[in-house]
Amino acid sequence: MKKTLTCLALALLLAGCMGGPVGNTAVPEPAQSVELSKYLGRWYELARYEASFQKGCEAVTADYSLNADGTIKVLNTCRQDAVDGPEKSATGEAYVVEGTNNAKLRVSFFWPFYGNYWVLDRADDYSWAIVGEPSGKYLWILGREAQASAEQMAQHTARVKALGYNTALLRITKH
């Protein structure tokens, strides 16, 4: 059983490393610091770069809460293939990378493998955030509300473009 899980973890890691086109060859450093107490809570995925581990996901949410040891509990949930499809979820743990003003985290959904999670930009009131990582293959636009107006999405898309990302790779998430 342990060998099977290790092989599965390696397969998932390799799939993540080799999957998807690079949407930004020069990922910028996060634009501002993150106050964790304001970042915690529920986020709705508004758009993303499609990734194999999210294939067909709609109605995507991410819930962040503080664990007693100071790490962050991450609960990602989606509906498979439709907003009313079967629910899938994954629970992970994250920690803040020292010296990054809380804007860079390392997240694990399958120990001992960790991925990068960078809050590249956010609203002053934490109503939206743009999240990526250094390879430029993954990108998420998150909001505190499940729906964003056309004007808000245009602003988010413009900011993503200004950060150097290929906006043609964005996939809008249905809620």
Side-chain angles (χ1 to χ4, degrees), residues 21-93:
V22 174
N24 189 344
T25 58
V27 176
E29 289 293 313
Q32 26 186 344
S33 63
V34 173
E35 199 172 322
L36 286 180
S37 63
K38 292 181 179 181
Y39 195 81
L40 298 175
R42 172 158 287 185
W43 289 93
Y44 295 89
E45 179 187 272
L46 302 175
R48 69 174 180 265
Y49 277 6
E50 190 71 273
S52 59
F53 57 86
Q54 279 191 290
K55 193 76 173 165
C57 278
E58 303 293 357
V60 180
T61 60
D63 292 286
Y64 303 101
S65 58
L66 200 57
N67 291 321
D69 66 358
T71 59
I72 299 164
K73 178 182 176 184
V74 180
L75 174 62
N76 288 343
T77 306
C78 85
R79 298 288 183 157
Q80 190 62 51
D81 299 321
V83 295
D84 59 353
E87 186 176 277
K88 305 189 324 183
S89 66
T91 302
E93 184 176 86

Side-chain angles (χ1 to χ4, degrees), residues 149-164:
S149 70
E151 180 182 339
Q152 289 168 326
M153 281 308 294
Q155 290 171 349
H156 299 326
T157 302
R159 182 60 183 136
V160 163
K161 186 174 185 173
L163 290 170

